[in-house]
Amino acid sequence: MATASASLPRDHDWWRTAVVYQIYPRSFADSDGDGIGDLAGLTSRVGYLRRLGVDAVWLSPFYPSALADGGYDIDDHRAVDPRLGSLADFDAMTAALHEAGLRVIVDIVPNHSSNRHRWFLEALAAAKGSPARQRYIFRDGRGPDQSEPPNDWKGAFGGSAWEAVGDGQFYLHLFAPEQPDWNWDNPEVRADHLETLHFWADRGVDGFRVDVAVALAKDLSEPLLSAAELAWRPAGPDHPLYDRDELDEIYAQWRTVFNQYDPPRSAVGEAWLSDHDRLARYARPDSLGQVFDFDLLRADFDARAYRDRIAPALARAAHLGSSLTWVLSNHDVVRHASRFGLPPLGPEADNSKSEARDAAWLKSGGQEPAEDTGLGLRRARAAVGCLLALPGSVCLYQGEELGLREVVDMPAEARQDPIFFRSDGVGRDGCRVPLPWQADGPSLGFGPGPAHLPQPDWFADFAVTVEEADPESTLSFYRLALAVRRHLLRQLPRPGDPMGLEWLRAPVGALHFRRPGGWHCLVNFTAPPFPLPAGEVLTASGPLPDDKLPEATTVWLRS
Ligand code: NOJ
């Protein structure tokens, strides 16, 4: 059984404080000019990741897929999409990352396969009620000729959550029709996923990101609830689809697998739950051990909003002995440099409404509202400065270190996201545009040919080569902040108190906290500029004119 590479420290707790860089492989770096990023392209950029100073990379799916949902529709969970390379390329990439001191996290998508998975093709060819159909969720249609879906549920991307297969039966898909949901009551499905975990862990993968971690277990006993009844029922043990207690057993089995490795493989759950007590179940050491904390991703750029989310999260983590995984952006949401330029929802606002606000903004054509279009980026830098100073782990999304904004001006014919095709939403392509590595060339250094999603002209201003040459750039800020963070964390007494944070007084509209080791972080969200406290400036997200901390700026100090 594979152990960690010799170049990585044998640290069982690395994931608790790791800075993880999310790579959307098809948009990161293209080695062969087919317009699609690939594993060899990624390997060629390991030096960039090492210089950036992150601890790990998380790869969104790189498995064979028809790309009905950006690769989250998986034909074979134990193979590499030939357009992205081969298993040998995967091994070479893992070796290069490990050699550079970076860990590798892969995406596991256990709620659904693609409709091209061999087991789904078998199910379609098999008779009603056959064992092959029991691996998925098939139900009889309603109406005299069984032509109506079993009920009125909608898929997450719009349209019915049921798809007819032509013999009176329908299958359930919580996402696109090309993503049939697995039946997790079936022991074969459970065993197959354990095999997938072993497959990647044996290849030296250090951890797993678990897609839609709360949806696997389902209770579809008759009568099925209507969509309206479902909408009113909070996720939790009584909800037929989300966050059911049966998940405990599934993840306990997974944990047993993770712990068979040395060091144990880590896992982080994608769980968009608003009930923090329920969320905590997935972060338990006998479960996944970690969940993304999406609270700050959904918060306005506002001191009170941040403190109201950070303080209870820290208290919960301390109580449970778990850690936190902060995140501002990923491949599913409007890039935060754009979000932070939008009008705030206000401190009392319902968190979940921010997604509706962002979607409405995209649909309206995505004009940045302020005359000062740099505001979103200044806030973005200040916010990540705050996150990187917090106890816990931080997950960055590729391109945020360049300060990229959402690409809104994209022709309909270029779009790929099922949300665009199945609903009246614009979708998520705007945050998945291939990275600009240089200011010229057919795809700004992404690859030798044009990119699979068009890059706007302004991307050239954010190219890696441009920002590397500018000490004030967003990239330079990220590199310095990550280097300082690494240095400061090294000074924490081991095992120490990596979760420690003490709030200090700050002007209204600002936050100030101290971390163990005598350093502190001051974030001015919206206050007028105020004098910096005494201390050595370790890094700042922007200029500090007259030794004052201006609005939308974060500084780290040692006193
Ligand atoms: C969450 C993933 O992040 C998203 O991109 C995907 O569309 C859904 N899960 C379905 O797999």
Side-chain angles (χ1 to χ4, degrees), residues 78-307:
R78 301 193 280 272
V80 173
D81 187 331
R83 286 167 296 184
L84 273 69
S86 61
L87 282 171
D89 292 326
F90 181 85
D91 293 341
M93 176 202 76
T94 304
L97 286 163
H98 282 169
E99 193 54 39
L102 282 93
R103 319 244 175 195
V104 180
I105 297 171
V106 299
D107 223 307
I108 290 292
V109 184
N111 180 66
H112 43 264
S113 70
S114 83
N115 59 349
R116 308 196 312 175
H117 191 286
R118 71 187 163 86
W119 276 0
F120 191 70
L121 298 177
E122 230 177 83
L124 289 182
K128 288 185 193 182
S130 59
R133 289 218 172 165
Q134 304 299 325
R135 297 185 186 122
Y136 292 91
I137 300 170
F138 281 84
R139 289 287 181 278
D140 288 336
R142 283 178 309 167
D145 54 0
Q146 295 188 306
S147 62
E148 292 164 38
N151 76 352
D152 63 346
W153 292 348
K154 301 275 170 260
F157 301 144
S160 172
W162 298 98
E163 192 75 3
V165 295
D167 60 4
Q169 285 217 302
F170 287 70
Y171 65 86
L172 179 72
H173 56 88
L174 293 185
F175 294 89
E178 295 86 352
Q179 294 167 295
D181 281 35
W182 289 113
N183 171 16
W184 274 85
D185 286 337
N186 186 328
E188 259 190 294
V189 169
R190 293 186 180 214
D192 189 63
H193 280 80
L194 296 181
E195 197 178 325
T196 298
L197 296 177
H198 276 299
F199 180 88
W200 294 110
D202 286 346
R203 296 197 101 85
V205 154
D206 303 280
F208 298 93
R209 177 264 188 189
V210 184
D211 189 65
V212 219
V214 295
L216 285 47
K218 297 178 176 84
D219 175 12
L220 298 184
S221 41
E222 302 286 346
L224 299 174
L225 295 183
S226 69
E229 288 166 318
L230 202 65
W232 284 108
R233 188 167 287 215
D238 297 331
H239 194 287
L241 304 180
Y242 301 114
D243 188 28
R244 298 182 58 78
D245 284 349
E246 297 94 293
L247 285 161
D248 287 352
E249 191 194 322
I250 295 172
Y251 294 134
Q253 266 192 324
W254 288 28
R255 174 49 58 193
T256 306
V257 172
F258 301 148
N259 289 354
Q260 285 167 9
Y261 292 85
D262 178 19
R265 299 326 191 214
S266 71
V268 54
E270 184 213 24
W272 293 86
L273 296 178
S274 42
D275 180 336
H276 288 104
D277 292 332
R278 295 291 307 176
L279 196 55
R281 301 169 73 85
Y282 303 89
R284 283 189 329 227
D286 59 349
S287 182
L288 296 175
Q290 215 183 355
V291 287
F292 290 117
D293 194 308
F294 290 126
D295 277 2
L296 292 184
L297 184 152
R298 293 190 278 201
D300 285 339
F301 185 77
D302 175 87
R304 198 169 130 202
Y306 268 54
R307 184 163 172 165

Side-chain angles (χ1 to χ4, degrees), residues 22 24 58 60 69-70 72-73 107 109 111-112 157 175 179 209 211-212 270 272 330-332 417-418 428 432:
Q22 183 195 351
Y24 189 73
W58 148 33
S60 280
D69 178 21
Y72 283 86
D73 46 319
D107 223 307
V109 184
N111 180 66
H112 43 264
F157 301 144
F175 294 89
Q179 294 167 295
R209 177 264 188 189
D211 189 65
V212 219
E270 184 213 24
W272 293 86
N330 62 32
H331 64 295
D332 289 332
D417 189 1
R428 301 162 293 181
R432 299 176 179 182

